[in-house]
Amino acid sequence: MVAHPPVLALRGISKRFGGVQALVDVDLQVRAGEVVALAGDNGAGKSTLVKAISGVSPADRGIIEWEGRLVQIKRPHDAHALGIATVYQDLAMCDNLDVVGNLFLGREIDRVGVLDEVEMERRARDLMRALSISIPDVRIPVAALSAGQRQAVAISRSLMGAPKVLLLDEPTAALGVEQTSHLLDLIEEVRDHGMAIILISHNMGDIKAVADRVAVLRLGRNNGLFDVSTVTQEQIISAVTGAADNAVAHRVKGDEEAWP
Amino acid sequence: MSRERPHRDGGPAGADGAGPVTADSRPRPRGWSGNLRDYALEVRGSVRDGERGPLLVIAGLIVIWIVFQALDDKFLSPRNLSNLSVEIVGTGLVAVGIVFVLLIREIDLSVGSVSGLAGAAFAVLNVNQGVPEWLAVIVAVAVGMAVGAFHGFFFAWLGVPAFVVTLAGLLIWNGLTLYLLGASGTINIDEEGLVASLTSRHFGDDLAAYAVAALGTAGYFLAAHRKRSRHRAAGMPYRQTPEIWVRTGVLAAVSFTAAYTLNRFQGLPFALLIFLTVLVVSDYVLRRTRYGRRVYALGGGVEAARRAGIGVERVRVAMFMVSGTLAAFGGLFVASGLTSASPTTARAAGSGMLLINAIAAAVIGGTSLFGGRGSPWSVLLGVLVIQSIASGMGLLGVEDAVQFMITGGVLLAAVAADALTRRTEARRGRP
């Protein structure tokens, strides 16, 4: 996995809202086929960072590199064009439409304006099968799906445009144990297809289960970057809560240089 | 199909210690990849779920007809049914416009006034100003469209709630109608003219009604058959052939009975043909086109639609324009039925009877006030119920005061049923 160059690299990202400095010189990298968890307490700047990457609310300062070249992300469209897909916490689904309708919303397959339902349904089934997503039928309204199934559909919808980076904002927050397990399977499945995934999560269990690395934000700054295979849960938590402020702040520098 | 899904130890709690859990990349069939027959059953079940509403309304309609027939044996006469089929058209067209607006989870309270305005505009232009009839018709319908664009602008771009915009519109357009008619009072339109013929003309030839019935049945059958073949070719669940035959048979029985009944009076009414055409076209646009999908999407979740790149504001304005246009078109049928435009009928239009009937027709048929659910066809059933009640009470000589209360009660019942459906769906929807 280390052989891949970063798909997306952020350096020195800063963002200010009025008098509040939401992000200060934040660095983050993610490679193809890798899950990077973004952890941090409430107000640490996770969502602000996601919005900066997805173009919803661009950063004030900082450099964004896409596959090694400098890019600007000023609008959601820019992120989309690069190949960055975002699944927000609220999912933004049309409850009345069926799974097929939601998957293809805004990019329907048609012939002179007339929907090709058969082709869309076929592709939807193929996608569900490829990702091993378990839903009763692609023709039932998403309102009839469980929270976990809705989350899975939202993620597969974000994959429709063949993105290279997937941002997941607290995907397991509303899920039960069983559904979370399915979702983590799905994340691994997607990762194994060569996607770079940034997973925002509060949940140490989720992070330890699927992430390869975990980047901790605290008060808008990098507060640690750990390899999940070697770090303990306590170390992450102390970075999140700030119990290890100084020590980790030093480690960050070392770590960042160590990553090629 | 029976490969077992390997269970991952630890699960979300991450008890499996350090290190990324290795993903099992083998395909893991879960619930849905079961056999086709289970699917077919499931799909059939869900179709039945969706049809429970309309079946209930049909049962209600039959009860209404039986009751009125028992009270007055002229009710089910070909003459009365034929008149009914013409009377439903004005309200029905207005209600189709309402459906478009309801689908995006909004409401248009101005349609009654707009239909009155269109009738008055036509009468003033044609009768008082001597403008050719065809041009006056086009102007009247264009006025409706412009009024809709006006409402849409205030709602979509300025963010004024639609119900307030159209409530103001209700008064404004009614005032404008009275103002237009003010100088001349009642205007009688040409009884031999184009607009009058909208409701008076019938296709005397028996063949016409049967041809329409045959065309509709054959069209349905071919569409269902083609859909089935394409689904089967793609290896997806499809409707069974016997089911298609049964549905086609029911449709044929209903449409040929209707054609036979109409032929026993004056034949197929021109108005009914127009109404059916509007229903077929709007249903096709909403259900089968990319544009229609956007309309439903807006009703299901504005934010989702916006993120999917749909131009929310433009669709909103367009829906109010459709509603205004169809209200004006329906208004011409109302004027045609009365062969006049008068301050009295304008005041009646402003009082909201047509509006309430149109909303009731849409909602009774199964279009939801909560957006995203319904279809133009729902109007046919709903308007039949509403006009049957009105026609029956008219035959029995029930006074207006009672008619108002009954119509209002029917609307309330329909809306309550809609709200209950929504609640049970929400309960069932999220297990």
Side-chain angles (χ1 to χ4, degrees):
Chain A
M1 244 180 266
V2 185
H4 297 291
V7 186
L8 180 70
L10 310 177
R11 299 187 207 288
I13 296 291
S14 299
K15 175 85 185 175
R16 172 182 281 279
F17 294 109
V20 183
Q21 190 74 42
L23 293 176
V24 187
D25 287 333
V26 173
D27 296 347
L28 186 73
Q29 296 184 4
V30 58
R31 292 170 180 75
E34 174 187 53
V35 179
V36 174
L38 195 56
D41 211 346
N42 290 335
K46 301 184 303 261
S47 294
T48 311
L49 189 58
V50 168
K51 284 177 183 164
I53 300 172
S54 63
V56 172
S57 162
D60 302 332
R61 284 194 297 115
I63 292 168
I64 301 177
E65 282 176 25
W66 179 261
E67 293 175 334
R69 88 199 132 80
L70 213 58
V71 292
Q72 303 270 344
I73 300 179
K74 296 289 179 208
R75 295 175 298 151
H77 177 80
D78 296 340
H80 209 260
L82 286 172
I84 300 173
T86 313
V87 179
Y88 296 94
Q89 219 173 330
D90 66 0
L91 302 186
M93 307 264 258
C94 291
D95 281 351
N96 58 330
L97 297 184
D98 58 22
V99 175
V100 179
N102 270 287
L103 285 176
F104 286 91
L105 190 60
R107 48 176 158 248
E108 296 86 356
I109 301 172
D110 63 352
R111 283 178 292 189
V112 274
V114 177
L115 299 173
D116 188 346
E117 294 283 1
V118 175
E119 179 61 16
M120 288 197 284
E121 185 174 333
R122 198 183 59 75
R123 288 200 200 173
R125 286 181 193 282
D126 288 350
L127 183 65
M128 295 293 112
R129 193 168 8 219
L131 296 173
S132 312
I133 293 172
S134 139
I135 50 170
D137 185 35
V138 292
R139 283 299 180 190
I140 61 171
V142 292
L145 297 178
S146 70
Q149 291 166 335
R150 288 161 65 86
Q151 183 70 251
V153 172
I155 291 175
S156 48
R157 177 178 62 177
S158 70
L159 300 179
M160 297 284 295
K164 291 184 173 169
V165 173
L166 183 58
L167 297 178
L168 299 175
D169 192 359
E170 300 265 6
T172 59
L175 304 188
V177 173
E178 174 79 11
Q179 294 174 337
T180 301
S181 145
H182 282 190
L183 185 78
L184 297 181
D185 286 357
L186 176 61
I187 292 174
E188 288 175 347
E189 189 94 41
V190 172
R191 189 226 12 229
D192 293 345
H193 280 77
M195 190 85 61
I197 297 171
I198 299 176
L199 169 73
I200 291 114
S201 186
H202 265 118
N203 188 318
M204 289 306 140
D206 298 351
I207 291 174
K208 296 232 55 165
V210 291
D212 300 301
R213 291 188 296 144
V214 50
V216 177
L217 286 184
R218 177 166 161 74
L219 304 176
R221 294 167 193 272
N222 282 111
N223 200 30
L225 179 71
F226 308 99
D227 190 331
V228 171
S229 57
T230 56
V231 75
T232 66
Q233 201 155 313
E234 287 70 29
Q235 281 175 296
I236 302 176
I237 291 173
S238 65
V240 167
T241 56
D245 251 352
N246 294 331
V248 177
H250 286 294
R251 275 194 54 184
V252 172
K253 284 235 158 84
D255 273 8
E256 275 300 313
E257 278 160 13
W259 291 104
Chain B
M1 285 292 148
S2 60
R3 238 183 308 167
E4 285 202 359
R5 180 181 164 258
H7 251 293
R8 196 171 72 191
D9 303 317
D16 40 5
V21 180
T22 41
D24 188 333
S25 53
R26 273 187 300 148
R28 285 163 290 187
R30 288 183 189 148
W32 85 268
S33 53
N35 63 33
L36 278 179
R37 230 186 43 220
D38 291 351
Y39 257 127
L41 287 176
E42 240 168 60
V43 170
R44 281 231 304 264
S46 72
V47 167
R48 292 223 178 86
D49 269 3
E51 281 171 357
R52 204 166 290 152
L55 285 178
L56 220 67
V57 179
I58 291 172
L61 185 62
I62 291 171
V63 169
I64 290 168
W65 283 12
I66 290 173
V67 168
F68 279 121
Q69 176 68 13
L71 293 174
D72 184 332
D73 61 3
K74 285 194 292 296
F75 184 78
L76 288 183
S77 66
R79 180 195 183 87
N80 195 49
L81 288 177
S82 179
N83 288 340
L84 184 66
S85 78
V86 175
E87 282 161 12
I88 61 171
V89 175
T91 311
L93 288 172
V94 176
V96 173
I98 292 269
V99 165
F100 277 84
V101 176
L102 288 180
L103 282 179
I104 63 163
R105 206 175 187 164
E106 296 302 336
I107 188 91
D108 187 342
L109 300 176
S110 72
V111 286
S113 295
V114 174
S115 67
L117 177 64
F122 167 79
V124 169
L125 282 173
N126 177 238
V127 180
N128 293 6
Q129 308 290 325
V131 174
E133 235 189 343
W134 61 269
L135 186 59
V137 166
I138 292 175
V139 172
V141 173
V143 164
M145 194 185 282
V147 164
F150 178 85
H151 294 153
F153 170 79
F154 274 87
F155 163 61
W157 297 103
L158 298 188
V160 186
F163 111 90
V164 181
V165 174
T166 55
L167 190 61
L170 184 151
L171 200 58
I172 296 171
W173 311 122
N174 199 228
L176 182 59
T177 310
L178 291 170
Y179 181 80
L180 283 176
L181 294 171
S184 47
T186 302
I187 304 174
N188 291 312
I189 61 175
D190 179 6
E191 292 202 13
E192 303 299 317
L194 174 70
V195 168
S197 77
L198 286 177
T199 50
S200 65
R201 190 159 168 226
H202 292 70
F203 296 98
D205 195 336
D206 281 7
L207 263 181
Y210 291 128
V212 169
L215 207 68
T217 310
Y220 174 80
F221 178 76
L222 289 177
H225 187 73
R226 181 164 172 274
K227 186 175 167 190
R228 175 181 174 277
S229 321
R230 288 201 63 201
H231 272 80
R232 200 160 72 150
M236 289 184 307
Y238 51 88
R239 221 171 240 181
Q240 303 297 317
T241 313
E243 199 188 338
I244 295 178
W245 279 110
V246 168
R247 283 161 184 273
T248 309
V250 170
L251 180 64
V254 170
S255 50
F256 278 95
T257 309
Y260 172 75
T261 312
L262 292 172
N263 280 339
R264 281 181 55 207
F265 186 55
Q266 288 180 327
L268 175 70
F270 185 46
L272 185 61
L273 182 64
I274 291 179
F275 184 40
L276 291 176
T277 310
V278 167
L279 287 179
V280 168
V281 171
S282 40
D283 177 65
Y284 188 82
V285 168
L286 283 173
R287 212 161 39 83
R288 299 283 296 124
T289 69
R290 177 188 274 258
Y291 197 81
R293 178 59 48 83
R294 293 179 180 186
V295 175
Y296 278 100
L298 229 62
V302 174
E303 198 46 44
R306 209 186 290 279
R307 285 196 201 147
I310 294 171
V312 171
E313 283 74 22
R314 281 164 62 182
V315 175
R316 283 176 163 168
V317 172
M319 289 308 103
F320 278 92
M321 287 171 75
V322 169
S323 155
T325 308
L326 284 171
F329 199 39
L332 291 178
F333 280 83
V334 173
S336 168
L338 301 165
T339 60
S340 71
S342 70
T344 324
T345 52
R347 286 216 163 78
S351 78
M353 200 60 191
L354 179 58
L355 166 70
I356 286 170
N357 280 343
I359 293 178
V363 176
I364 288 171
T367 295
S368 175
L369 282 175
F370 303 101
R373 182 163 55 83
S375 90
W377 283 106
S378 66
V379 168
L380 182 61
L381 271 181
V383 80
L384 271 174
V385 168
I386 286 287
Q387 286 294 343
S388 295
I389 294 172
S391 159
M393 290 193 298
L395 272 181
L396 296 174
V398 177
E399 54 180 318
D400 276 1
V402 178
Q403 287 202 27
F404 284 4
M405 289 190 279
I406 291 179
T407 310
V410 171
L411 172 62
L412 193 57
V415 174
D418 177 30
L420 282 176
T421 311
R422 187 161 177 267
R423 268 175 50 187
T424 49
E425 266 181 7
R427 252 208 311 276
R428 236 183 0 188
R430 312 254 173 86

